[in-house]
Amino acid sequence: MSRDRTLIEGADVAVVGGSIAGCATALAAHRAGAARVTVHERTGGRLADRGVGLAVHNDRYAELTAAGYMDAAMPWVQLATRRWYVRDAAAPLGRQVATLPFPFRSYCWGPLWRELRSRLPADTVFRSGVTVHAVGEDPDGVRLALRDGDRSAGAGSGPGERGGPDDGRGPDEGRGADEANAAGDRRHGNPDHRRRGTHRNHGHDRHDHAGHHDHDVDRTERFDLVIGADGYRSLVREAAFPGIRPRYAGYLAWRGAVPVDRLAALDFPGLPARPWADEDCIYGVFPGGHVIIYRIPDGRGGQRANWVLYTTPPAGLDLDLDAPTSLPPGTLTEALHSHLAHVAEELLPPYWGGLLRLTPPEEVFIQPMYDFTAPRYAAGRLLLAGDAATVARPHTGAGAVKALQDAVALEAALQALPRNPDALAAYGAERGATGRTMVELGRRLGRFLVQDTPDWRSLDQAGVEQGWATADGSGAFGGRALRG
């Protein structure tokens, strides 16, 4: 390819990160005309087994379906109403203070990823268990320093598995993308602590971003374009925009999910025969936080009750949260479990708190809240998408949506390159502006729902509506509409 102009036709494209954003942007590159697409995913377990929930606004679903990135074949549950409850003595559900529309479709992360993965053409190279240690640009391409790190998983030591229907191999079990990759970072070194150094390979001197020794690298490969879909600790982002890192927001999200058939074990005096409808999304609010609960498909024909509890950590814990991290299942301390139990038993209505307690402690995990956005999503031959580019707090209801929208916009930009050499720069600027909008929305909603909560018990329908409208402000909850 020309060193003066990047084209997609005939290009050799690498995608760093193999989760939802990675699969979607790999598909975008294929559709735009790339000759070869290689996905590098550092973990070596099963992505398809991840059981966390996510939701997609109905309007954004329609746009993504029209663009060919979602469809009705992906298992989902239609949600319609958001019901707000406060604790009210022994009332099992609490007191309902408001209802708001909630036109969202809920999904389970694993089955959604599997459907996206199955859309990749058969000639896609999907490398599990491969760690990217360095990213460096040459005048006519990008070089990745690679290591086949997770050989015990039986993947990644060869040329890479091919795309098409998922054969069950893929990164880490039972956790969200960033939680899984956090475990990998603890094994291989957090990019936020890596130094920039010079690495020599195949006779090329280049400035790489990652601290490693030559014996850490199995090989170096050159690509025409590199798409960073490697999460909020992105090494590609560090190469494109050094020093842009997530900032800790001051509170945590405890997460879990419960098979709905277990809910029959919750028996409280006065509990309605049908405590909540399939289409309901529950907001259990209390001073200093809230829990959101909604049903998701389990990928096997059943449903799970997905929950996320937001609140500040208890005082006195020795948690180093300034550097981006997460606490995967099985790593929570007794103090963190005790704090979750306190909130469930003392601050939430009995039924909703009991639902949280049905989750086995070893399955609960924690996401500290971070946010940031890269100034742009493109820098030369380095492109960003998903959490590698922007992390907005999950209150926005748009994390997965934005990653898929990034892929749609990237596909259009790549296709436009022959007639518009500045198409990638335009992609970077436009998506960067969207990222900033979502980060600001997440911060406003975080203040309203966690950091500076109103006196929920004193609010009625009109009060909750007004508070939400003020926090939402721009009306971007659920994601901005794609630009035509």
Short mmCIF file of all heavy atoms in Angstrom, two decimals, residues 76-99:
data_model
loop_
_atom_site.label_atom_id
_atom_site.label_comp_id
_atom_site.label_asym_id
_atom_site.label_seq_id
_atom_site.Cartn_x
_atom_site.Cartn_y
_atom_site.Cartn_z
N TRP A 76 -33.22 -12.16 22.94
CA TRP A 76 -33.46 -10.90 23.61
C TRP A 76 -34.75 -10.96 24.41
O TRP A 76 -35.57 -11.84 24.23
CB TRP A 76 -33.54 -9.75 22.59
CG TRP A 76 -34.57 -9.97 21.52
CD1 TRP A 76 -34.49 -10.81 20.45
CD2 TRP A 76 -35.86 -9.37 21.43
NE1 TRP A 76 -35.63 -10.77 19.70
CE2 TRP A 76 -36.48 -9.88 20.26
CE3 TRP A 76 -36.54 -8.44 22.20
CZ2 TRP A 76 -37.76 -9.49 19.87
CZ3 TRP A 76 -37.81 -8.04 21.81
CH2 TRP A 76 -38.41 -8.57 20.65
N VAL A 77 -34.92 -9.99 25.32
CA VAL A 77 -36.15 -9.79 26.09
C VAL A 77 -36.56 -8.34 25.90
O VAL A 77 -35.75 -7.42 26.06
CB VAL A 77 -35.94 -10.08 27.59
CG1 VAL A 77 -37.19 -9.74 28.39
CG2 VAL A 77 -35.54 -11.54 27.81
N GLN A 78 -37.83 -8.11 25.55
CA GLN A 78 -38.31 -6.75 25.37
C GLN A 78 -38.67 -6.14 26.73
O GLN A 78 -39.45 -6.70 27.49
CB GLN A 78 -39.53 -6.71 24.47
CG GLN A 78 -40.06 -5.30 24.21
CD GLN A 78 -39.07 -4.42 23.48
OE1 GLN A 78 -38.69 -4.72 22.35
NE2 GLN A 78 -38.64 -3.33 24.13
N LEU A 79 -38.08 -4.99 27.02
CA LEU A 79 -38.40 -4.24 28.22
C LEU A 79 -39.22 -3.02 27.83
O LEU A 79 -39.12 -2.53 26.70
CB LEU A 79 -37.11 -3.80 28.93
CG LEU A 79 -36.15 -4.94 29.29
CD1 LEU A 79 -34.85 -4.37 29.86
CD2 LEU A 79 -36.78 -5.91 30.27
N ALA A 80 -40.04 -2.52 28.76
CA ALA A 80 -40.93 -1.41 28.41
C ALA A 80 -41.05 -0.36 29.50
O ALA A 80 -41.21 0.83 29.20
CB ALA A 80 -42.33 -1.95 28.10
N THR A 81 -40.95 -0.76 30.78
CA THR A 81 -41.26 0.16 31.87
C THR A 81 -40.19 0.10 32.94
O THR A 81 -39.74 -0.98 33.33
CB THR A 81 -42.62 -0.19 32.51
OG1 THR A 81 -43.63 -0.19 31.51
CG2 THR A 81 -42.98 0.81 33.60
N ARG A 82 -39.78 1.26 33.41
CA ARG A 82 -38.83 1.35 34.52
C ARG A 82 -39.60 1.74 35.77
O ARG A 82 -40.26 2.79 35.81
CB ARG A 82 -37.78 2.41 34.17
CG ARG A 82 -36.63 2.50 35.12
CD ARG A 82 -35.49 3.32 34.55
NE ARG A 82 -35.88 4.25 33.50
CZ ARG A 82 -35.17 5.33 33.20
NH1 ARG A 82 -34.06 5.60 33.88
NH2 ARG A 82 -35.56 6.13 32.23
N ARG A 83 -39.54 0.88 36.78
CA ARG A 83 -40.28 1.11 38.02
C ARG A 83 -39.28 1.45 39.13
O ARG A 83 -38.34 0.71 39.38
CB ARG A 83 -41.12 -0.10 38.40
CG ARG A 83 -42.15 -0.46 37.32
CD ARG A 83 -43.10 -1.56 37.75
NE ARG A 83 -44.02 -1.90 36.66
CZ ARG A 83 -45.15 -1.23 36.38
NH1 ARG A 83 -45.50 -0.22 37.16
NH2 ARG A 83 -45.91 -1.59 35.37
N TRP A 84 -39.53 2.56 39.80
CA TRP A 84 -38.64 3.07 40.84
C TRP A 84 -39.24 2.74 42.21
O TRP A 84 -40.39 3.10 42.50
CB TRP A 84 -38.49 4.59 40.72
CG TRP A 84 -37.91 5.03 39.40
CD1 TRP A 84 -38.49 4.92 38.17
CD2 TRP A 84 -36.66 5.68 39.20
NE1 TRP A 84 -37.67 5.45 37.21
CE2 TRP A 84 -36.54 5.93 37.81
CE3 TRP A 84 -35.63 6.08 40.05
CZ2 TRP A 84 -35.43 6.56 37.26
CZ3 TRP A 84 -34.53 6.72 39.50
CH2 TRP A 84 -34.42 6.95 38.12
N TYR A 85 -38.44 2.07 43.05
CA TYR A 85 -38.90 1.66 44.38
C TYR A 85 -37.96 2.19 45.46
O TYR A 85 -36.73 2.25 45.27
CB TYR A 85 -38.93 0.13 44.50
CG TYR A 85 -40.02 -0.56 43.73
CD1 TYR A 85 -39.78 -1.06 42.44
CD2 TYR A 85 -41.29 -0.74 44.27
CE1 TYR A 85 -40.78 -1.72 41.73
CE2 TYR A 85 -42.29 -1.40 43.56
CZ TYR A 85 -42.02 -1.89 42.30
OH TYR A 85 -43.02 -2.54 41.60
N VAL A 86 -38.55 2.53 46.60
CA VAL A 86 -37.78 2.83 47.80
C VAL A 86 -38.19 1.85 48.89
O VAL A 86 -39.29 1.28 48.85
CB VAL A 86 -38.01 4.28 48.29
CG1 VAL A 86 -37.50 5.28 47.27
CG2 VAL A 86 -39.49 4.52 48.62
N ARG A 87 -37.31 1.63 49.84
CA ARG A 87 -37.63 0.75 50.96
C ARG A 87 -38.76 1.38 51.79
O ARG A 87 -38.76 2.59 52.03
CB ARG A 87 -36.39 0.53 51.82
CG ARG A 87 -36.58 -0.51 52.92
CD ARG A 87 -35.28 -0.70 53.69
NE ARG A 87 -35.43 -1.64 54.79
CZ ARG A 87 -35.15 -2.94 54.72
NH1 ARG A 87 -34.70 -3.45 53.59
NH2 ARG A 87 -35.32 -3.72 55.75
N ASP A 88 -39.70 0.55 52.21
CA ASP A 88 -40.85 1.03 52.99
C ASP A 88 -41.20 -0.03 54.01
O ASP A 88 -42.05 -0.91 53.77
CB ASP A 88 -42.03 1.32 52.07
CG ASP A 88 -43.22 1.95 52.82
OD1 ASP A 88 -43.00 2.52 53.90
OD2 ASP A 88 -44.35 1.86 52.30
N ALA A 89 -40.48 0.05 55.16
CA ALA A 89 -40.68 -0.92 56.25
C ALA A 89 -40.58 -2.34 55.70
O ALA A 89 -39.61 -2.67 55.02
CB ALA A 89 -42.01 -0.66 56.94
N ALA A 90 -41.59 -3.17 55.97
CA ALA A 90 -41.52 -4.57 55.57
C ALA A 90 -42.19 -4.85 54.23
O ALA A 90 -42.29 -6.02 53.82
CB ALA A 90 -42.15 -5.45 56.65
N ALA A 91 -42.67 -3.83 53.55
CA ALA A 91 -43.31 -4.06 52.26
C ALA A 91 -42.34 -4.78 51.32
O ALA A 91 -41.24 -4.27 51.08
CB ALA A 91 -43.75 -2.72 51.65
N PRO A 92 -42.66 -5.97 50.84
CA PRO A 92 -41.66 -6.78 50.15
C PRO A 92 -41.05 -6.12 48.91
O PRO A 92 -39.85 -6.24 48.68
CB PRO A 92 -42.43 -8.05 49.77
CG PRO A 92 -43.87 -7.72 49.92
CD PRO A 92 -43.95 -6.65 50.96
N LEU A 93 -41.87 -5.41 48.13
CA LEU A 93 -41.33 -4.73 46.95
C LEU A 93 -40.93 -3.30 47.23
O LEU A 93 -40.32 -2.65 46.37
CB LEU A 93 -42.37 -4.74 45.81
CG LEU A 93 -42.81 -6.12 45.32
CD1 LEU A 93 -43.85 -5.95 44.21
CD2 LEU A 93 -41.63 -6.94 44.82
N GLY A 94 -41.23 -2.80 48.43
CA GLY A 94 -41.02 -1.41 48.74
C GLY A 94 -42.19 -0.57 48.26
O GLY A 94 -43.26 -1.08 47.93
N ARG A 95 -41.99 0.73 48.21
CA ARG A 95 -43.01 1.65 47.73
C ARG A 95 -42.61 2.18 46.36
O ARG A 95 -41.51 2.71 46.19
CB ARG A 95 -43.20 2.81 48.71
CG ARG A 95 -44.21 3.86 48.23
CD ARG A 95 -44.54 4.84 49.36
NE ARG A 95 -43.37 5.53 49.87
CZ ARG A 95 -42.88 6.67 49.35
NH1 ARG A 95 -43.47 7.23 48.30
NH2 ARG A 95 -41.84 7.24 49.91
N GLN A 96 -43.51 2.02 45.40
CA GLN A 96 -43.22 2.51 44.07
C GLN A 96 -43.42 4.02 44.04
O GLN A 96 -44.50 4.51 44.37
CB GLN A 96 -44.11 1.84 43.03
CG GLN A 96 -43.83 2.28 41.60
CD GLN A 96 -44.62 1.46 40.59
OE1 GLN A 96 -44.41 0.26 40.43
NE2 GLN A 96 -45.54 2.14 39.90
N VAL A 97 -42.39 4.76 43.64
CA VAL A 97 -42.48 6.22 43.63
C VAL A 97 -42.66 6.78 42.23
O VAL A 97 -43.07 7.94 42.08
CB VAL A 97 -41.23 6.86 44.29
CG1 VAL A 97 -41.18 6.50 45.77
CG2 VAL A 97 -39.95 6.46 43.58
N ALA A 98 -42.34 5.99 41.20
CA ALA A 98 -42.49 6.51 39.84
C ALA A 98 -42.37 5.38 38.84
O ALA A 98 -41.81 4.30 39.13
CB ALA A 98 -41.42 7.58 39.55
N THR A 99 -42.89 5.61 37.65
CA THR A 99 -42.65 4.74 36.50
C THR A 99 -42.26 5.63 35.33
O THR A 99 -42.82 6.72 35.14
CB THR A 99 -43.90 3.92 36.12
OG1 THR A 99 -44.96 4.81 35.74
CG2 THR A 99 -44.35 3.05 37.27
#
